[in-house]
Amino acid sequence: MLSVVLRNKEGYRFYYVLTDGSSESGGGLTDKGELVCDERCPQKELLLRALINKCCNEFVARVTARDCWGVDLERFGFVAEAEGYVSSWDRLCLPHDCR
């Protein structure tokens, strides 16, 4: 069973721990405004979706990310910049493929 739980962690505005039954990994929004995750995270998109939802709910004015999530960040409302991607709470989205 998968779970994503909000936890306090120094250096982060907010941080989630993802548990898949046998392992734990995590990620969050750093105090510098960057979305990051553990390299070994088995469900990066799930964690990214939780973080984007939290950014929207917290009205985060500027959020950055690097291309380490294994998904097209532009689909989630990010815009490519020189060193990565940038967005804000009002441009972020949680796309779906339902038809």
Side-chain angles (χ1 to χ4, degrees):
M1 177 189 286
L2 290 171
S3 70
V4 180
V5 179
L6 184 62
R7 300 271 169 82
N8 289 325
K9 185 170 182 175
E10 189 173 330
Y12 289 85
R13 181 168 170 182
F14 47 83
Y15 187 85
Y16 283 99
V17 174
L18 183 142
T19 305
D20 70 355
S22 61
S23 66
E24 277 190 356
S25 54
L29 180 68
T30 68
D31 288 339
K32 295 180 180 180
E34 182 179 5
L35 292 180
V36 297
C37 74
D38 290 344
E39 198 173 293
R40 60 183 168 76
C41 181
Q43 296 287 331
K44 289 183 181 181
E45 185 173 344
L46 174 61
L47 185 57
L48 178 64
R49 287 176 175 275
L51 292 167
I52 286 174
N53 186 58
K54 183 75 169 162
C55 286
C56 292
N57 289 338
E58 296 287 324
F59 304 105
V60 176
R62 186 180 193 318
V63 59
T64 63
R66 296 174 199 245
D67 192 19
C68 64
W69 293 93
V71 296
D72 178 8
L73 291 174
E74 292 179 359
R75 253 184 103 219
F76 291 86
F78 285 91
V79 176
E81 274 194 346
E83 293 186 22
Y85 294 85
V86 66
S87 193
S88 59
W89 72 270
D90 57 333
R91 290 193 324 234
L92 289 170
C93 63
L94 297 171
H96 57 84
D97 296 319
C98 299
R99 295 181 193 221

